Amino acid sequence: MRRPGGWWRRKTTPAKVETYTRWSFHFFGVIEVTAIGLTTFEHVGTRLASALSLLVAVHAAVCMVTASRALDWTRGRRAQPVRLLWTLAAVTAVLAVGAVALAGRGPAGEGVDAAAGSVFGGVLCFGAGTVALGVRNRRRIVAIVGGFAAGAGIVGFPLGMPGPVALATAGFVLAGAGFLAFTSVFSVWLLNAVYELDEARETRARLAVAEERLRFARDLHDVMGRNLAVIALKSELAVQLVRRGRPEAVEQMIEVQRIAQESQREVRDVVRGYREADLEVELAGAQGVLTAAGIACEVTGDTSGLSAEVQSALAWVVREATTNVLRHGDAEKCAVVVRMSEGRVVLTVENDGAVDASGPGPAAGAAGPGGSGLAGLRERLSAVGGTLQAGTAGKGVFRLVADVPLSAGTVPGASGTVPGAAGTVPGAAS
Protein backbone atom coordinates (compact mmCIF):
# COMPACT_ATOMS: atom_id res chain seq x y z
CA MET A 1 0.00 0.00 0.00
CA ARG A 2 1.41 3.35 -1.01
CA ARG A 3 2.00 5.93 1.67
CA PRO A 4 0.12 9.24 1.54
CA GLY A 5 2.03 11.82 -0.47
CA GLY A 6 4.01 9.18 -2.35
CA TRP A 7 2.91 10.61 -5.69
CA TRP A 8 4.66 13.86 -4.78
CA ARG A 9 7.90 12.19 -3.64
CA ARG A 10 8.04 10.16 -6.84
CA LYS A 11 8.05 13.35 -8.95
CA THR A 12 11.28 14.83 -10.20
CA THR A 13 12.25 18.33 -9.13
CA PRO A 14 11.12 19.95 -12.43
CA ALA A 15 7.82 18.06 -12.25
CA LYS A 16 7.29 19.32 -8.70
CA VAL A 17 7.95 22.91 -9.78
CA GLU A 18 5.54 22.50 -12.69
CA THR A 19 2.83 21.08 -10.42
CA TYR A 20 3.32 23.95 -7.97
CA THR A 21 3.15 26.51 -10.78
CA ARG A 22 0.06 24.97 -12.32
CA TRP A 23 -1.85 24.84 -9.04
CA SER A 24 -0.75 28.36 -8.18
CA PHE A 25 -2.58 29.62 -11.26
CA HIS A 26 -5.59 27.50 -10.32
CA PHE A 27 -5.47 29.07 -6.88
CA PHE A 28 -5.64 32.48 -8.56
CA GLY A 29 -9.08 31.42 -9.79
CA VAL A 30 -10.10 30.55 -6.24
CA ILE A 31 -8.86 33.95 -5.10
CA GLU A 32 -10.89 35.65 -7.84
CA VAL A 33 -14.09 33.90 -6.80
CA THR A 34 -13.48 34.51 -3.10
CA ALA A 35 -12.24 38.09 -3.24
CA ILE A 36 -14.60 39.35 -5.95
CA GLY A 37 -17.60 37.05 -6.28
CA LEU A 38 -18.37 36.30 -2.64
CA THR A 39 -17.80 39.87 -1.48
CA THR A 40 -20.75 41.02 -3.59
CA PHE A 41 -23.08 39.51 -0.96
CA GLU A 42 -21.96 42.29 1.40
CA HIS A 43 -23.17 45.02 -0.98
CA VAL A 44 -26.26 43.79 -2.81
CA GLY A 45 -29.13 41.39 -2.37
CA THR A 46 -28.80 37.64 -2.51
CA ARG A 47 -30.27 37.24 -6.02
CA LEU A 48 -28.05 39.84 -7.68
CA ALA A 49 -24.99 38.76 -5.68
CA SER A 50 -25.56 35.13 -6.70
CA ALA A 51 -25.75 36.13 -10.36
CA LEU A 52 -22.55 38.18 -10.12
CA SER A 53 -20.75 35.40 -8.23
CA LEU A 54 -21.77 32.88 -10.88
CA LEU A 55 -20.43 35.11 -13.65
CA VAL A 56 -17.16 35.61 -11.77
CA ALA A 57 -16.90 31.84 -11.21
CA VAL A 58 -17.34 31.23 -14.95
CA HIS A 59 -14.60 33.75 -15.68
CA ALA A 60 -12.32 32.13 -13.09
CA ALA A 61 -12.93 28.68 -14.63
CA VAL A 62 -12.01 29.98 -18.09
CA CYS A 63 -8.86 31.51 -16.59
CA MET A 64 -7.91 28.16 -14.99
CA VAL A 65 -8.35 26.23 -18.24
CA THR A 66 -6.46 28.87 -20.19
CA ALA A 67 -3.58 28.88 -17.71
CA SER A 68 -3.31 25.09 -17.84
CA ARG A 69 -3.30 25.00 -21.64
CA ALA A 70 -0.83 27.89 -21.80
CA LEU A 71 1.58 26.07 -19.48
CA ASP A 72 1.35 22.98 -21.68
CA TRP A 73 2.15 25.21 -24.65
CA THR A 74 5.21 26.69 -22.97
CA ARG A 75 6.48 23.13 -22.36
CA GLY A 76 5.90 22.20 -26.01
CA ARG A 77 3.15 19.67 -25.30
CA ARG A 78 0.41 21.36 -27.35
CA ALA A 79 -0.14 24.17 -29.81
CA GLN A 80 -0.64 27.73 -28.62
CA PRO A 81 -4.24 28.03 -27.36
CA VAL A 82 -5.06 31.05 -29.52
CA ARG A 83 -8.82 30.46 -29.60
CA LEU A 84 -8.94 29.98 -25.86
CA LEU A 85 -7.00 33.20 -25.33
CA TRP A 86 -9.47 35.11 -27.51
CA THR A 87 -12.35 33.44 -25.69
CA LEU A 88 -10.97 34.56 -22.34
CA ALA A 89 -10.47 38.10 -23.65
CA ALA A 90 -14.05 38.19 -24.95
CA VAL A 91 -15.53 36.84 -21.70
CA THR A 92 -13.48 39.38 -19.74
CA ALA A 93 -14.66 42.25 -21.95
CA VAL A 94 -18.32 41.19 -21.74
CA LEU A 95 -18.22 40.90 -17.94
CA ALA A 96 -16.42 44.23 -17.58
CA VAL A 97 -18.90 46.07 -19.83
CA GLY A 98 -21.79 44.37 -18.06
CA ALA A 99 -20.47 45.45 -14.67
CA VAL A 100 -20.17 49.08 -15.83
CA ALA A 101 -23.66 48.93 -17.31
CA LEU A 102 -24.99 47.55 -14.04
CA ALA A 103 -23.42 50.44 -12.14
CA GLY A 104 -24.75 53.05 -14.59
CA ARG A 105 -28.13 51.61 -15.58
CA GLY A 106 -28.95 49.13 -12.83
CA PRO A 107 -30.59 49.56 -9.42
CA ALA A 108 -29.54 52.64 -7.55
CA GLY A 109 -27.42 52.41 -4.45
CA GLU A 110 -23.83 52.58 -3.32
CA GLY A 111 -23.77 48.83 -2.75
CA VAL A 112 -24.52 48.14 -6.41
CA ASP A 113 -21.79 50.53 -7.51
CA ALA A 114 -19.26 48.89 -5.16
CA ALA A 115 -20.15 45.37 -6.29
CA ALA A 116 -20.08 46.33 -9.98
CA GLY A 117 -16.76 48.17 -9.57
CA SER A 118 -15.21 45.18 -7.84
CA VAL A 119 -16.30 42.82 -10.61
CA PHE A 120 -15.19 45.28 -13.29
CA GLY A 121 -11.65 45.77 -11.99
CA GLY A 122 -11.17 42.18 -10.84
CA VAL A 123 -12.06 40.40 -14.07
CA LEU A 124 -9.90 42.81 -16.07
CA CYS A 125 -6.86 42.24 -13.85
CA PHE A 126 -7.16 38.45 -13.71
CA GLY A 127 -8.07 38.24 -17.39
CA ALA A 128 -5.07 40.28 -18.56
CA GLY A 129 -2.68 38.36 -16.29
CA THR A 130 -3.89 35.00 -17.63
CA VAL A 131 -3.83 36.09 -21.27
CA ALA A 132 -0.21 37.22 -20.81
CA LEU A 133 0.63 33.63 -19.83
CA GLY A 134 -0.10 32.49 -23.39
CA VAL A 135 2.12 35.08 -25.09
CA ARG A 136 5.91 35.00 -25.37
CA ASN A 137 6.75 38.40 -26.85
CA ARG A 138 7.31 41.02 -24.14
CA ARG A 139 6.00 43.84 -26.28
CA ARG A 140 2.77 41.98 -26.82
CA ILE A 141 2.45 41.41 -23.09
CA VAL A 142 2.91 45.14 -22.46
CA ALA A 143 0.38 45.87 -25.20
CA ILE A 144 -2.13 43.46 -23.62
CA VAL A 145 -1.81 45.02 -20.18
CA GLY A 146 -1.94 48.54 -21.58
CA GLY A 147 -4.91 47.68 -23.78
CA PHE A 148 -6.90 46.30 -20.86
CA ALA A 149 -6.05 49.36 -18.75
CA ALA A 150 -6.97 51.75 -21.56
CA GLY A 151 -10.18 49.88 -22.20
CA ALA A 152 -11.05 50.11 -18.52
CA GLY A 153 -10.81 53.89 -18.70
CA ILE A 154 -12.46 54.36 -22.09
CA VAL A 155 -15.47 52.10 -21.56
CA GLY A 156 -16.69 54.19 -18.69
CA PHE A 157 -17.26 57.41 -20.64
CA PRO A 158 -20.18 56.22 -22.81
CA LEU A 159 -21.85 54.91 -19.67
CA GLY A 160 -21.54 58.15 -17.76
CA MET A 161 -18.52 57.39 -15.58
CA PRO A 162 -16.80 60.61 -14.33
CA GLY A 163 -13.37 61.37 -15.77
CA PRO A 164 -11.34 61.11 -12.53
CA VAL A 165 -13.06 57.83 -11.70
CA ALA A 166 -12.33 56.43 -15.16
CA LEU A 167 -8.69 57.50 -14.88
CA ALA A 168 -8.35 55.96 -11.42
CA THR A 169 -9.95 52.76 -12.67
CA ALA A 170 -7.51 52.58 -15.59
CA GLY A 171 -4.59 53.06 -13.20
CA PHE A 172 -5.88 50.33 -10.90
CA VAL A 173 -6.29 47.89 -13.78
CA LEU A 174 -2.85 48.78 -15.11
CA ALA A 175 -1.23 48.07 -11.74
CA GLY A 176 -3.21 44.89 -11.01
CA ALA A 177 -2.98 43.44 -14.51
CA GLY A 178 0.71 44.35 -14.71
CA PHE A 179 1.47 42.58 -11.46
CA LEU A 180 -0.38 39.41 -12.49
CA ALA A 181 1.19 39.49 -15.97
CA PHE A 182 4.65 39.83 -14.42
CA THR A 183 3.87 36.93 -12.08
CA SER A 184 2.79 34.80 -15.03
CA VAL A 185 5.86 35.59 -17.12
CA PHE A 186 8.24 35.09 -14.21
CA SER A 187 6.61 31.76 -13.28
CA VAL A 188 6.99 30.47 -16.83
CA TRP A 189 10.60 31.66 -16.97
CA LEU A 190 11.39 29.94 -13.67
CA LEU A 191 9.72 26.71 -14.79
CA ASN A 192 11.66 26.66 -18.07
CA ALA A 193 14.90 27.43 -16.22
CA VAL A 194 14.36 24.48 -13.87
CA TYR A 195 13.75 22.13 -16.80
CA GLU A 196 16.82 23.44 -18.64
CA LEU A 197 18.99 22.97 -15.55
CA ASP A 198 17.73 19.42 -15.15
CA GLU A 199 18.47 18.68 -18.80
CA ALA A 200 21.95 20.19 -18.42
CA ARG A 201 22.54 18.00 -15.39
CA GLU A 202 21.57 14.89 -17.32
CA THR A 203 23.80 16.00 -20.19
CA ARG A 204 26.76 16.38 -17.83
CA ALA A 205 26.15 12.89 -16.50
CA ARG A 206 26.02 11.44 -20.01
CA LEU A 207 29.19 13.31 -20.96
CA ALA A 208 30.96 11.95 -17.90
CA VAL A 209 30.02 8.40 -18.88
CA ALA A 210 31.06 9.07 -22.47
CA GLU A 211 34.41 10.40 -21.25
CA GLU A 212 35.01 7.17 -19.34
CA ARG A 213 34.19 5.15 -22.45
CA LEU A 214 36.58 7.28 -24.50
CA ARG A 215 39.30 6.66 -21.93
CA PHE A 216 38.83 2.92 -22.28
CA ALA A 217 38.79 3.25 -26.07
CA ARG A 218 42.04 5.24 -26.00
CA ASP A 219 43.71 2.65 -23.81
CA LEU A 220 42.59 -0.14 -26.11
CA HIS A 221 43.75 1.79 -29.19
CA ASP A 222 47.15 2.46 -27.66
CA VAL A 223 47.59 -1.23 -26.92
CA MET A 224 46.32 -2.64 -30.20
CA GLY A 225 47.29 0.04 -32.72
CA ARG A 226 51.04 -0.54 -32.78
CA ASN A 227 50.83 -4.33 -32.44
CA LEU A 228 48.34 -4.68 -35.28
CA ALA A 229 50.51 -2.50 -37.50
CA VAL A 230 53.56 -4.69 -36.75
CA ILE A 231 51.54 -7.85 -37.39
CA ALA A 232 50.38 -6.50 -40.74
CA LEU A 233 53.92 -5.58 -41.80
CA LYS A 234 55.48 -8.88 -40.72
CA SER A 235 52.66 -10.87 -42.34
CA GLU A 236 53.25 -9.02 -45.60
CA LEU A 237 56.99 -9.69 -45.28
CA ALA A 238 56.33 -13.38 -44.63
CA VAL A 239 54.15 -13.58 -47.75
CA GLN A 240 56.93 -12.10 -49.86
CA LEU A 241 59.50 -14.49 -48.37
CA VAL A 242 57.25 -17.49 -49.00
CA ARG A 243 56.82 -16.48 -52.63
CA ARG A 244 60.59 -16.34 -52.96
CA GLY A 245 61.05 -19.65 -51.19
CA ARG A 246 63.05 -18.11 -48.38
CA PRO A 247 63.15 -20.02 -45.05
CA GLU A 248 63.09 -16.76 -43.09
CA ALA A 249 59.31 -16.68 -43.63
CA VAL A 250 58.91 -19.20 -40.79
CA GLU A 251 60.75 -16.90 -38.40
CA GLN A 252 58.54 -13.98 -39.40
CA MET A 253 55.35 -15.99 -38.80
CA ILE A 254 56.68 -17.12 -35.44
CA GLU A 255 57.23 -13.45 -34.63
CA VAL A 256 53.68 -12.65 -35.78
CA GLN A 257 52.38 -15.39 -33.50
CA ARG A 258 54.37 -14.01 -30.58
CA ILE A 259 53.10 -10.47 -31.15
CA ALA A 260 49.52 -11.74 -31.45
CA GLN A 261 49.83 -13.63 -28.16
CA GLU A 262 51.34 -10.56 -26.54
CA SER A 263 48.46 -8.46 -27.87
CA GLN A 264 45.96 -10.87 -26.37
CA ARG A 265 47.68 -10.59 -23.01
CA GLU A 266 47.74 -6.78 -23.17
CA VAL A 267 44.07 -6.63 -24.14
CA ARG A 268 43.21 -8.88 -21.20
CA ASP A 269 45.20 -6.57 -18.95
CA VAL A 270 43.30 -3.53 -20.25
CA VAL A 271 39.92 -5.22 -19.80
CA ARG A 272 40.93 -6.55 -16.39
CA GLY A 273 42.03 -3.07 -15.39
CA TYR A 274 38.64 -1.75 -16.50
CA ARG A 275 36.66 -4.51 -14.81
CA GLU A 276 38.82 -4.87 -11.71
CA ALA A 277 39.97 -1.34 -11.20
CA ASP A 278 42.01 -0.33 -8.22
CA LEU A 279 39.83 0.94 -5.39
CA GLU A 280 41.59 4.30 -5.23
CA VAL A 281 41.17 4.75 -8.98
CA GLU A 282 37.46 3.94 -8.74
CA LEU A 283 36.99 6.35 -5.84
CA ALA A 284 38.66 9.14 -7.79
CA GLY A 285 36.67 8.26 -10.92
CA ALA A 286 33.38 8.17 -9.00
CA GLN A 287 34.03 11.59 -7.55
CA GLY A 288 34.87 12.99 -10.96
CA VAL A 289 31.74 11.57 -12.58
CA LEU A 290 29.42 12.72 -9.80
CA THR A 291 30.97 16.17 -9.68
CA ALA A 292 30.56 16.48 -13.45
CA ALA A 293 26.90 15.58 -12.98
CA GLY A 294 26.44 18.45 -10.51
CA ILE A 295 26.44 16.25 -7.38
CA ALA A 296 28.69 17.34 -4.53
CA CYS A 297 30.78 14.27 -3.71
CA GLU A 298 33.17 13.78 -0.78
CA VAL A 299 35.42 10.71 -0.59
CA THR A 300 37.40 9.91 2.57
CA GLY A 301 39.10 6.93 4.10
CA ASP A 302 42.12 4.60 4.10
CA THR A 303 42.58 2.13 1.23
CA SER A 304 46.09 0.85 1.94
CA GLY A 305 46.88 -2.74 2.85
CA LEU A 306 43.93 -4.30 1.02
CA SER A 307 44.39 -7.42 -1.06
CA ALA A 308 43.70 -7.36 -4.79
CA GLU A 309 40.52 -9.44 -4.33
CA VAL A 310 39.10 -7.10 -1.70
CA GLN A 311 40.01 -4.00 -3.71
CA SER A 312 38.37 -5.44 -6.82
CA ALA A 313 35.16 -6.30 -4.98
CA LEU A 314 34.91 -2.89 -3.31
CA ALA A 315 35.78 -1.13 -6.57
CA TRP A 316 32.76 -2.79 -8.16
CA VAL A 317 30.61 -1.58 -5.26
CA VAL A 318 31.80 1.98 -5.85
CA ARG A 319 31.11 1.71 -9.58
CA GLU A 320 27.58 0.29 -9.13
CA ALA A 321 26.73 2.79 -6.37
CA THR A 322 27.88 5.67 -8.57
CA THR A 323 25.69 4.41 -11.40
CA ASN A 324 22.68 4.21 -9.08
CA VAL A 325 23.22 7.76 -7.84
CA LEU A 326 23.39 9.04 -11.42
CA ARG A 327 20.47 7.07 -12.81
CA HIS A 328 18.04 7.08 -9.89
CA GLY A 329 16.67 9.63 -7.45
CA ASP A 330 17.57 13.31 -7.40
CA ALA A 331 20.73 13.52 -5.31
CA GLU A 332 22.53 16.75 -4.53
CA LYS A 333 25.19 15.33 -2.18
CA CYS A 334 27.01 12.02 -1.96
CA ALA A 335 29.51 10.82 0.62
CA VAL A 336 31.82 7.79 0.24
CA VAL A 337 33.67 6.58 3.34
CA VAL A 338 36.19 3.73 3.64
CA ARG A 339 37.09 2.68 7.17
CA MET A 340 38.80 -0.33 8.77
CA SER A 341 38.14 -1.79 12.20
CA GLU A 342 38.52 -5.17 13.87
CA GLY A 343 39.92 -6.92 10.83
CA ARG A 344 37.22 -5.70 8.44
CA VAL A 345 36.89 -2.94 5.87
CA VAL A 346 33.57 -1.13 5.55
CA LEU A 347 32.64 0.94 2.49
CA THR A 348 29.67 3.30 2.91
CA VAL A 349 28.05 5.22 0.06
CA GLU A 350 25.32 7.63 1.16
CA ASN A 351 23.34 10.14 -0.89
CA ASP A 352 20.30 12.36 -0.36
CA GLY A 353 18.46 11.32 -3.53
CA ALA A 354 16.29 8.51 -2.15
CA VAL A 355 12.61 8.46 -3.14
CA ASP A 356 9.56 6.71 -1.80
CA ALA A 357 9.93 2.95 -1.50
CA SER A 358 6.92 2.38 -3.69
CA GLY A 359 8.28 4.42 -6.58
CA PRO A 360 11.32 4.24 -8.83
CA GLY A 361 14.78 5.10 -7.65
CA PRO A 362 17.42 3.71 -5.33
CA ALA A 363 15.03 3.04 -2.49
CA ALA A 364 12.87 0.90 -4.68
CA GLY A 365 15.19 -0.74 -7.12
CA ALA A 366 18.52 -0.83 -5.40
CA ALA A 367 17.69 -2.77 -2.29
CA GLY A 368 14.97 -4.92 -3.68
CA PRO A 369 15.46 -8.56 -4.50
CA GLY A 370 14.97 -7.93 -8.18
CA GLY A 371 17.89 -5.56 -8.57
CA SER A 372 20.37 -7.36 -10.84
CA GLY A 373 23.14 -4.84 -10.11
CA LEU A 374 23.12 -5.38 -6.35
CA ALA A 375 22.59 -9.11 -6.79
CA GLY A 376 25.84 -9.24 -8.75
CA LEU A 377 27.59 -7.19 -6.08
CA ARG A 378 26.42 -9.54 -3.35
CA GLU A 379 27.85 -12.46 -5.31
CA ARG A 380 31.20 -10.70 -5.70
CA LEU A 381 31.33 -9.79 -2.02
CA SER A 382 30.31 -13.24 -0.89
CA ALA A 383 33.30 -14.62 -2.82
CA VAL A 384 35.57 -12.72 -0.41
CA GLY A 385 33.38 -13.31 2.65
CA GLY A 386 31.68 -9.92 2.54
CA THR A 387 28.11 -8.67 2.87
CA LEU A 388 26.09 -5.87 1.32
CA GLN A 389 23.26 -3.82 2.80
CA ALA A 390 21.27 -1.20 0.89
CA GLY A 391 18.21 0.82 1.76
CA THR A 392 16.86 4.11 3.07
CA ALA A 393 18.50 5.61 6.13
CA GLY A 394 16.23 8.45 7.12
CA LYS A 395 14.09 10.87 5.15
CA GLY A 396 15.38 11.17 1.60
CA VAL A 397 18.69 9.39 2.38
CA PHE A 398 19.82 6.19 0.69
CA ARG A 399 22.75 4.23 2.10
CA LEU A 400 24.76 1.33 0.71
CA VAL A 401 27.16 -0.48 3.04
CA ALA A 402 29.68 -3.14 1.97
CA ASP A 403 31.44 -5.07 4.76
CA VAL A 404 34.41 -7.23 3.76
CA PRO A 405 36.97 -9.04 5.96
CA LEU A 406 40.64 -8.19 5.42
CA SER A 407 42.59 -10.93 3.69
CA ALA A 408 44.96 -12.97 5.85
CA GLY A 409 48.32 -11.38 6.26
CA THR A 410 47.28 -7.86 5.26
CA VAL A 411 47.87 -5.07 7.68
CA PRO A 412 46.39 -1.65 7.04
CA GLY A 413 49.07 0.97 6.55
CA ALA A 414 49.12 4.10 8.53
CA SER A 415 50.10 6.47 5.78
CA GLY A 416 48.29 5.25 2.69
CA THR A 417 45.10 7.17 2.18
CA VAL A 418 42.95 8.17 -0.69
CA PRO A 419 44.91 10.83 -2.58
CA GLY A 420 44.12 14.33 -1.59
CA ALA A 421 44.35 16.68 1.31
CA ALA A 422 43.04 15.40 4.62
CA GLY A 423 42.34 11.98 3.19
CA THR A 424 40.06 13.25 0.47
CA VAL A 425 40.26 12.68 -3.26
CA PRO A 426 41.27 15.88 -5.05
CA GLY A 427 38.37 17.98 -6.16
CA ALA A 428 35.99 16.77 -3.48
CA ALA A 429 33.11 19.12 -3.04
CA SER A 430 32.60 20.43 0.44
Side-chain angles (χ1 to χ4, degrees), residues 313-314 316-318 320-321 324 344-349 366-368 371-391 398-405:
L314 293 180
W316 267 100
V317 174
V318 173
E320 180 68 19
N324 284 340
R344 304 185 72 86
V345 55
V346 179
L347 171 69
T348 304
V349 182
S372 59
L374 293 188
L377 290 182
R378 289 190 174 94
E379 294 176 0
R380 288 179 178 273
L381 292 179
S382 63
V384 292
T387 60
L388 182 71
Q389 296 179 354
F398 182 78
R399 180 182 298 162
L400 185 146
V401 180
D403 189 339
V404 180

Side-chain angles (χ1 to χ4, degrees), residues 102-388:
L102 176 64
R105 303 291 188 267
E110 295 182 359
V112 175
D113 293 340
S118 176
V119 173
F120 176 79
V123 296
L124 286 176
C125 292
F126 282 99
T130 306
V131 171
L133 187 62
V135 180
R136 283 201 179 105
N137 190 286
R138 295 181 179 178
R139 293 183 179 179
R140 293 183 179 179
I141 294 175
V142 173
I144 289 172
V145 174
F148 272 81
I154 294 173
V155 74
F157 288 103
L159 299 176
M161 182 181 294
V165 176
L167 184 61
T169 302
F172 170 79
V173 172
L174 180 63
F179 172 78
L180 292 176
F182 171 80
T183 302
S184 301
V185 173
F186 180 78
S187 298
V188 171
W189 173 83
L190 181 61
L191 179 61
N192 290 334
V194 171
Y195 270 104
E196 290 175 0
L197 289 175
D198 187 69
E199 292 174 0
R201 182 176 180 176
E202 292 180 359
T203 301
R204 287 197 300 268
R206 289 195 297 267
L207 289 176
V209 175
E211 183 179 356
E212 177 64 17
R213 291 176 178 173
L214 288 175
R215 183 192 67 81
F216 177 73
R218 287 193 300 267
D219 292 344
L220 191 61
H221 177 270
D222 294 341
V223 169
M224 294 299 297
R226 179 184 61 84
N227 290 349
L228 289 176
V230 175
I231 289 174
L233 291 174
K234 287 188 172 293
S235 298
E236 183 179 356
L237 178 59
V239 170
Q240 297 296 331
L241 292 174
V242 168
R243 288 176 178 176
R244 298 175 184 178
R246 301 284 295 275
E248 291 88 347
V250 177
E251 297 179 0
Q252 295 297 327
M253 291 308 299
I254 292 175
E255 182 67 12
V256 169
Q257 183 182 19
R258 185 193 66 79
I259 296 175
Q261 292 174 348
E262 181 68 17
S263 299
Q264 289 179 339
R265 184 189 63 79
E266 291 180 352
V267 169
R268 284 195 296 267
D269 290 341
V270 172
V271 175
R272 184 181 300 111
Y274 185 74
R275 291 182 176 176
E276 300 181 1
D278 182 83
L279 180 57
E280 291 187 6
V281 174
E282 283 300 320
L283 290 172
Q287 185 177 44
V289 170
L290 292 176
T291 302
I295 302 174
C297 180
E298 182 179 3
V299 181
T300 58
D302 187 354
T303 62
S304 62
L306 300 179
S307 65
E309 293 80 3
V310 173
Q311 289 217 29
S312 176
L314 293 180
W316 267 100
V317 174
V318 173
R319 185 174 295 176
E320 180 68 19
T322 302
T323 302
N324 284 340
V325 173
L326 289 173
R327 297 173 60 183
H328 306 294
D330 189 19
E332 296 181 356
K333 296 180 181 179
C334 181
V336 183
V337 179
V338 181
R339 58 184 176 86
M340 302 181 192
S341 63
E342 300 180 357
R344 304 185 72 86
V345 55
V346 179
L347 171 69
T348 304
V349 182
E350 185 174 289
N351 70 88
D352 60 355
V355 296
D356 181 63
S358 60
S372 59
L374 293 188
L377 290 182
R378 289 190 174 94
E379 294 176 0
R380 288 179 178 273
L381 292 179
S382 63
V384 292
T387 60
L388 182 71

Side-chain angles (χ1 to χ4, degrees), residues 62 65-67 69-70 80-90 131:
V62 177
V65 176
T66 304
R69 299 290 179 86
Q80 185 179 16
V82 178
R83 293 184 178 180
L84 194 55
L85 293 174
W86 281 109
T87 300
L88 175 59
V131 171

